[in-house]
Amino acid sequence: MTLRSTPAPAQPDSLAEGPDLSTVRPGEVVALRALNGPRWLAAYRALLDLGAVPLLLDAEVPDEEARRWLVRAGGGRLLSATGPGFELSGVESAPAGTAGTVLLCSSGTTGAPKLVRRTLASLQAEGGRHVRFADLTAQDHVVLALPMWHAYALGWVHTCLAAGCRLTSTGPTDLGRVVELLNAGATVLPLVPTTAALLAARAARTLRPGHRLRLAMVGAGAVTDELDDRFRAAFGIGLARDYGSTETGSLFSAPADLPAGCVGEPLAGVQFRVLDEQGRPVPPGTPGVLEVRLDDDTEWRNTGDRVRWQPPDGLFILGRQTRAVRRGDRWISPDEIEEVLRAHPDVLEARVAAVSRPGRPAPALHATVVNLRGVHADTRTIQRHAGAALAAHKVPDRVIPVGSLERGPSGKLRAPQRLKPADPADLMAAAQAYKRSELLFTLHRLGLLAALATEPADAPTLAARLDLDPHTCEQLLRAAQDTGLVRVATDEEAAEADLAEACAVIALEEQLSRSWVTREQLTEVGRDGLHGRAFDRKGPDEDLRRAYTAAMHSPGADRRSRLGLRLAGYQGGSLLEITCGSGRYLTAADTTEGRLVRVGALAGGDPAPTGDLPDLGQTFDLVVVCNAIHLAGPGADLPRLAGLLAPGGRLLIDDVFLDAPGGVPGDVRLDWLTHGGLSWPTEEATIAGLARAGVAVRRVVHVGKPTSTLIVADADGPEAGR
């Protein structure tokens, strides 16, 4: 079956050369893995034309995960974008699917992976429903800043194909490109809540008057009154809403200006009913479970959502039936509690879950929140806020601050995943990995690394030069060669590059392996939590402080300081540096208008308390947070940082983040657990938190290896200068 659209010749981003799929047979499952763009669309359409069964994968899934999805689908091959073309890999397999079917990956509400099968006919019907609701014509230009392999975005792909209108897809984080397209005349913008919030913050400064955006629709999440107000202030229009599921596609849509939580009327071809626990219809205004029937379906589908049909506005989504919590004779909706918590000015995001308690009939309610003030900030105001807005049986028993909540590609909060141990071979390899690091520390202590960096040499020469036992020295170096710590030098090679920075990090890791990143400390925080951990009670010794200073304030870090000042456009003026170090930005700026605030036990001197800053009596042209965004204290308090910016002032954050491209190893979490901090561990959460605090990110630059991130932002809201 062929998908057709009628783009004009002047719209090249709607077309692309497709891959060579001459060996693909009807019914064969082909996993498609590619970034958003015309090439993805060309490959998708080509697979459908051939009668293949596309299995749509996240562009970033590794080969092993792609293989697991293909196994779930019954076999098939992988089609991946490679450079300018595509590569079709894997053994050619017998047909495993049905032509006219598309496979979507979903984690469901339980976190367990599952495949969802959609017929091409249902996708085309969904596209037609959107066309009618949005009154879409061939003159429209739709910008899709969503992963095209996600169900909500795929529905819009088929919408554009049905309408014959222009479709331009961008990366989900490429908000600058989205604004450029809107300034160039784009008319329709499907979004998810997180993207809508970030886009509103950016567009407030960069969107030109006279744009033609007429419809912005949010799916895959709820629209709050605050989000609607911020978007309207930036774009001049409110947010329409869309409701559906991976299995069904879009079911309900609502125009802007309806109450929060309302998704409006059913789309064409959608029938619905709301039932009680016994399967009986309930009257309007009464909560119940939503069932739907599409087009020519003969069976009703249970959506698993608790809803309320409330004319004249329409359908209100109350939350997942599977998430509903029963306490005594009452049902509680975690979604309702989460919405109340997000209304607190310090809460960026919230997730509420029921936790069973041994010996108690009713579960406890735990609220996990991302706090704009950082993970160590007092949560009692959030608890009181919940108590004032909710009935007593709905108030969370515990509010747990975290640095971020994981989201899926669509922007939805990801359900906690069910885990099990890795393969025994992997566990045994991890158990023995310490020997490699101990060998590295030994090479460093004995001076072997420094000697080899100065001049390649053999084991006997090194033993004589460093007064080491010859036999032991040879065995150590053989082990180092076997484990990849040293390599054979060619005749042409002279001295290696300077290893001073690497040796400084090695010296620091050696200290940590004996003091804080140990099984004892990790076990203690696992049992007792971060509050009152041993590092905060006892503090580091001077040897660790010196090692930390040498590793974190190297010549490379000094170069990064100068780069950061250039990116921030600093040419003089008042400068505040909040740091866990000695103030390298103040040194690089060479200014007489500088203030230094040290945070964290490794900073030395007299670090700032974990609470608010002392009254500095001024605002600043540039505020730098250097290696302090994750730590307890003022560097993690985003509203306070916004308040320190003078009119026209800028904020510069210099740190490492887990989600930076090619970023730091995941085991850096162990450092943060034992002797660092867990506020804002990801760029995504940090940028969203800054936007909520009234600070708009202008530029993000990645430098070095492992990756360091420089974030440049400026005041964009009422918090600035307060």
Side-chain angles (χ1 to χ4, degrees):
M1 186 173 295
T2 302
L3 285 171
R4 298 187 183 277
S5 64
T6 56
Q11 299 166 344
D13 57 352
S14 296
L15 297 173
E17 291 297 325
D20 179 13
L21 301 175
S22 58
T23 62
V24 174
R25 293 176 293 175
E28 180 181 357
V29 175
V30 179
L32 174 58
R33 181 179 63 182
L35 293 171
N36 272 19
R39 290 199 305 154
W40 186 98
L41 183 59
Y44 175 67
R45 295 172 66 179
L47 290 173
L48 291 177
D49 287 347
L50 292 167
V53 179
L55 167 57
L56 306 184
L57 297 180
D58 186 323
E60 296 182 355
V61 299
D63 289 347
E64 178 58 27
E65 184 175 342
R67 185 193 66 79
R68 291 197 298 271
W69 283 111
L70 282 168
V71 169
R72 294 186 186 100
R77 288 186 285 175
L78 175 63
L79 180 64
S80 299
T82 55
F86 279 85
E87 177 184 348
L88 188 61
S89 61
V91 178
E92 188 173 344
S93 60
T98 304
T101 301
V102 177
L103 298 178
L104 302 172
C105 303
S106 173
S107 61
T109 57
T110 65
K114 67 175 182 179
L115 277 176
V116 173
R117 297 180 183 272
R118 291 283 304 277
T119 66
L120 182 55
S122 75
L123 288 164
Q124 290 172 328
E126 179 184 4
R129 288 194 282 269
H130 271 314
V131 169
R132 288 189 287 275
F133 173 82
D135 195 20
L136 216 64
T137 71
Q139 282 67 52
D140 277 300
H141 180 186
V142 177
V143 176
L144 195 60
L146 305 169
M148 296 174 80
W149 50 90
H150 183 263
Y152 173 50
L154 188 63
W156 274 98
V157 169
H158 283 269
T159 300
C160 295
L161 293 171
C165 66
R166 181 179 179 183
L167 167 64
T168 303
S169 62
T170 74
T173 60
D174 194 358
L175 302 182
R177 173 64 174 153
V178 174
V179 175
E180 287 178 10
L181 291 166
L182 293 175
N183 285 333
T187 57
V188 178
L189 184 61
L191 297 164
V192 294
T194 50
T195 309
L198 294 173
L199 193 59
R202 175 180 284 268
R205 290 290 185 89
T206 56
L207 187 69
R208 296 175 193 152
H211 67 82
R212 298 177 56 205
L213 181 65
R214 65 175 184 84
L215 175 67
M217 174 177 279
V218 166
V223 175
T224 64
D225 289 334
E226 180 196 17
L227 174 58
D228 198 50
D229 291 343
R230 287 178 68 90
F231 197 88
R232 185 182 300 280
F235 289 91
I237 63 172
L239 290 166
R241 297 90 189 271
D242 179 81
Y243 165 78
S245 69
T246 304
E247 292 81 1
T248 64
S250 295
L251 297 168
F252 287 73
S253 289
D257 301 321
L258 288 181
C262 182
V263 294
E265 302 278 345
L267 293 168
V270 178
Q271 302 176 60
F272 78 98
R273 62 188 185 184
V274 183
L275 307 177
D276 63 16
E277 293 178 37
Q278 286 72 45
R280 299 170 300 198
V282 300
T286 303
V289 178
L290 176 67
E291 291 191 351
V292 297
R293 190 162 60 185
L294 294 175
D295 301 314
D296 297 328
D297 285 353
T298 58
E299 300 292 331
W300 289 92
R301 301 171 184 249
N302 186 332
T303 64
D305 284 328
R306 289 180 59 79
V307 302
R308 184 180 72 249
W309 173 250
Q310 189 72 58
D313 293 325
L315 192 73
F316 285 78
I317 306 300
L318 305 179
R320 293 292 297 170
Q321 183 184 16
T322 52
R323 294 192 70 208
V325 179
R326 186 152 195 159
R327 293 183 119 186
D329 61 347
R330 297 185 177 100
W331 282 101
I332 297 171
S333 168
D335 297 67
E336 177 190 7
I337 303 170
E338 290 167 359
E339 184 174 349
V340 167
L341 292 171
R342 284 193 294 266
H344 189 282
D346 288 343
V347 175
L348 174 66
E349 191 51 271
R351 182 171 60 203
V352 173
V355 179
S356 299
R357 298 177 291 184
R360 299 190 182 185
L365 284 178
H366 285 186
T368 306
V369 301
V370 179
N371 191 340
L372 293 184
R373 304 285 179 177
V375 298
H376 289 277
D378 192 346
T379 59
R380 286 176 293 183
T381 61
I382 299 172
Q383 193 91 26
R384 289 194 292 269
H385 166 82
L390 294 166
H393 65 281
K394 299 179 182 179
V395 177
D397 300 287
R398 186 179 177 192
V399 176
I400 304 165
V402 297
S404 65
L405 289 172
E406 188 177 5
R407 292 184 176 276
S410 70
K412 281 186 178 180
L413 289 179
R414 194 186 295 276
Q417 295 178 309
R418 298 169 61 240
L419 305 174
K420 66 177 185 179
D423 293 337
D426 294 326
L427 298 178
M428 288 187 289
Q432 297 166 347
Y434 76 95
K435 296 176 183 176
R436 187 169 186 255
S437 59
E438 291 295 335
L439 175 58
L440 176 63
F441 299 148
T442 301
L443 298 179
H444 179 246
R445 279 192 176 191
L446 293 175
L448 288 165
L449 280 184
L452 290 172
T454 302
E455 182 182 4
D458 56 34
T461 301
L462 288 169
R465 185 183 302 165
L466 299 173
D467 195 22
L468 303 176
D469 178 77
H471 177 67
T472 305
C473 181
E474 181 180 3
Q475 294 303 313
L476 287 172
L477 289 171
R478 281 188 180 181
Q481 187 176 345
D482 291 342
T483 54
L485 298 178
V486 301
R487 61 183 175 84
V488 176
T490 64
D491 292 339
E492 293 78 18
E493 284 185 303
E496 288 289 321
D498 184 17
L499 293 182
E501 291 189 29
C503 287
V505 173
I506 293 168
L508 172 61
E509 293 296 343
E510 181 181 1
Q511 290 277 340
L512 292 172
S513 72
R514 290 289 184 263
S515 56
W516 298 110
V517 188
T518 65
R519 68 202 73 175
E520 292 82 11
Q521 298 301 329
L522 289 167
T523 302
E524 180 178 317
V525 297
R527 287 176 175 154
D528 302 332
L530 296 177
H531 297 284
R533 62 185 178 174
F535 182 80
D536 299 317
R537 295 195 310 269
K538 300 175 183 178
D541 59 24
E542 287 305 314
D543 288 340
L544 179 57
R545 278 201 183 96
R546 282 194 294 270
Y548 177 81
T549 300
M552 294 297 115
H553 303 280
S554 62
D558 292 337
R559 289 192 295 272
R560 193 165 68 250
S561 300
R562 293 190 291 272
L563 172 62
L565 291 173
R566 289 199 302 273
L567 292 173
Y570 181 75
Q571 296 179 338
S574 55
L575 189 157
L576 170 66
E577 181 174 357
I578 301 171
T579 179
C580 66
S582 58
R584 53 185 171 87
Y585 271 88
L586 283 175
T587 301
D590 192 23
T591 178
T592 59
E593 299 181 68
R595 300 283 296 273
L596 179 67
V597 174
R598 294 181 176 182
V599 296
L602 287 167
D606 184 19
T610 57
D612 197 7
L613 280 167
D615 184 11
L616 297 173
Q618 68 176 111
T619 55
F620 296 87
D621 298 313
L622 178 63
V623 175
V624 177
V625 180
C626 178
N627 291 340
I629 189 72
H630 309 308
L631 297 174
D637 187 336
L638 303 189
R640 185 70 179 98
L641 293 176
L644 290 168
L645 297 178
R650 285 196 164 171
L651 173 67
L652 172 63
I653 296 172
D654 178 346
D655 221 307
V656 295
F657 295 91
L658 290 175
D659 60 342
V664 297
D667 56 17
V668 75
R669 289 182 190 270
L670 305 183
D671 295 310
W672 293 348
L673 280 170
T674 54
H675 63 280
L678 281 171
S679 292
W680 314 110
T682 64
E683 289 181 10
E684 179 185 32
T686 305
I687 292 169
L690 288 169
R692 177 70 180 271
V695 181
V697 171
R698 303 305 180 198
R699 194 168 183 187
V700 178
V701 175
H702 301 108
V703 294
K705 189 173 179 62
T707 302
S708 293
T709 299
L710 297 171
I711 298 176
V712 180
D714 55 38
D716 190 45
E719 294 292 336
R722 282 174 34 181

